[in-house]
Amino acid sequence: MKQQDIGIDLGTTSIIIATEQQGVVFSQPSIGAIDARTGEIIAVGDRALRMVGRAPSYIELVRPLRDGVIQDHRMTHELIVRFVNQVCRSRILRPRVSVCVPAAITGVEADAVVEAVMSAGAKQVFLVDEPVAAALGAGLDIRQPRGCMVIDIGGGSTDIAVISMGGKVRAASLPVAGNAFDSCIAQCVQQKYDLAIGPATAELLKKQVASCSDSDFEGVMEVRGHSWQTNLPARQLVYARDLYAPVRELVARIAAAARSVLESTPPELASDVSQTGVLLTGGGSMLRGLPGYLAGQLHVNVALAPDPLNCVARGTAASLSLGRHLTAGFRDATPKVWRAKL
């Protein structure tokens, strides 16, 4: 049986693997646990995530990607090897692998990713730009000489690009995304209620209560945390209006970056964007009220992509069959030394 080629979304929060035929086939948090006494990696993915806030002092929880940049090469390598081996068990039928890498990745970091994927058994490795993958995953035909604009809000970074004929014409990246929203929400609750909450609780508040608008939603949620006043566990009701100001401040930064990209876009492509609108992808794009807020700031229609969380992974897998048509967003990254061994 022929080994399926796969696409990998190497995200700050999650690593998602997809195939063009089946869609998403694997998703795990991009986190690992290390025993500090021995240096051994004892858990990765879901198992490691369950340890957050509950592990003893000698267990170190590591997120190897932060703000769209690889911070820990060893853990990144370990996650890629373990996850790819779970999906591609055959060591004989080796797949081609396309990897969507963070926009701010350096050449050295890209080489480390390629080496890790090759170590996991890949026959050939390609790198694809994140906005290009997001557009493909949303079903856009980016090969045409027609401009489209994508704002991909992931866990660690937001990537913004105007794409035409398979490549980025104008682009920007900023370290404001889902994790930044979680942090600002946790800080807001602590300042307002003297209550410390964990990252999982902050993320739940973001999904269920937080909003970019101060008028269309009145959500409320009870949270549990550690009271700084009593030093004991405590409960507190948190309302959407409590989180509006800090969330809006971060969203305004994304809007300003998107506006800057639009302002520098050539007139013909800007005209295309005014007709086609802007596409939002990534888990962070599901923040309540975000499309309406950005539409008001950019003066163009803004739409949320279908399945925004998995758009990048699906597009990364699809890029393998369209690679020769993607002028600047797709490149063969397989080192020649590895080619010689095939």
Side-chain angles (χ1 to χ4, degrees):
M1 183 177 178
K2 183 179 178 181
Q3 175 70 62
Q4 286 186 313
D5 295 336
I6 63 173
I8 303 176
D9 176 10
L10 193 64
T12 302
T13 304
S14 300
I15 293 178
I16 304 173
I17 301 177
T19 70
E20 190 170 7
Q21 296 76 20
Q22 298 175 280
V24 174
V25 295
F26 183 90
S27 179
Q28 288 275 314
S30 47
I31 185 172
I34 300 176
D35 188 328
R37 300 168 299 183
T38 63
E40 179 187 2
I41 297 175
I42 59 175
V44 297
D46 284 332
R47 287 186 57 209
L49 187 64
R50 287 194 289 268
M51 299 179 185
V52 174
R54 299 180 174 90
S57 59
Y58 60 84
I59 301 297
E60 182 183 0
L61 281 303
V62 177
R63 287 194 177 274
L65 294 107
R66 186 179 309 156
D67 297 337
V69 179
I70 296 175
Q71 301 287 332
D72 188 312
H73 290 268
R74 180 196 174 204
M75 183 61 76
T76 300
H77 182 281
E78 189 70 20
L79 292 179
I80 291 174
V81 170
R82 292 195 188 193
F83 293 165
V84 170
N85 282 335
Q86 288 187 50
V87 175
C88 306
R89 300 183 183 276
S90 173
R91 303 301 294 179
I92 299 175
L93 301 173
R94 302 168 65 186
R96 295 187 308 158
V97 180
S98 177
V99 185
C100 179
V101 292
I105 196 170
T106 65
V108 173
E109 291 167 343
D111 290 343
V113 170
V114 173
E115 183 179 350
V117 176
M118 295 299 295
S119 299
K123 178 173 64 177
Q124 198 173 7
V125 183
F126 301 86
L127 302 181
V128 59
D129 292 331
E130 193 158 346
V132 172
L136 284 173
L140 299 182
D141 186 357
I142 63 174
R143 295 170 293 176
Q144 302 300 320
R146 183 175 178 81
C148 60
M149 185 172 183
V150 176
I151 301 177
D152 180 65
I153 307 175
S157 64
T158 293
D159 292 294
I160 306 164
V162 174
I163 302 169
S164 178
M165 299 178 64
K168 297 184 299 182
V169 179
R170 293 289 185 271
S173 181
L174 65 158
V176 176
N179 293 344
F181 285 113
D182 295 345
S183 297
C184 86
I185 287 171
Q187 184 177 3
C188 175
V189 172
Q190 179 171 320
Q191 292 176 345
K192 189 173 183 65
Y193 297 110
D194 283 332
L195 185 72
I197 60 174
T201 302
E203 184 180 14
L204 203 57
L205 277 171
K206 176 184 66 180
K207 293 178 177 179
Q208 297 188 5
V209 177
S211 176
C212 296
S213 172
D214 59 354
S215 60
D216 65 348
F217 179 70
E218 282 297 332
V220 62
M221 175 179 160
E222 183 183 74
V223 300
R224 301 181 183 186
H226 180 91
S227 171
W228 290 110
Q229 294 181 343
T230 65
N231 279 328
L232 295 172
R235 300 180 181 185
Q236 177 64 50
L237 290 176
V238 179
Y239 295 86
R241 59 178 177 270
D242 297 330
L243 308 178
Y244 171 71
V247 167
R248 190 68 172 263
E249 181 180 348
L250 293 182
V251 170
R253 292 175 59 185
I254 295 175
R259 186 184 183 101
S260 178
V261 169
L262 267 181
E263 288 174 347
S264 65
T265 299
E268 292 81 2
L269 293 180
S271 175
D272 292 341
V273 172
S274 71
Q275 295 180 37
T276 60
V278 175
L279 186 71
L280 290 179
T281 66
S285 66
M286 294 186 287
L287 182 68
R288 188 176 286 102
L290 182 58
Y293 174 79
L294 290 177
Q297 296 295 309
L298 303 178
H299 305 291
V300 296
N301 293 331
V302 178
L304 185 64
D307 192 18
L309 191 62
N310 296 315
C311 257
V312 170
R314 292 177 183 274
T316 304
S319 69
L320 285 165
S321 62
L322 297 175
R324 61 191 176 90
H325 298 291
L326 305 182
T327 55
F330 182 89
R331 58 194 183 277
D332 184 349
T334 312
K336 288 183 173 58
V337 65
W338 286 102
R339 282 185 184 279
K341 296 179 181 181
L342 299 182

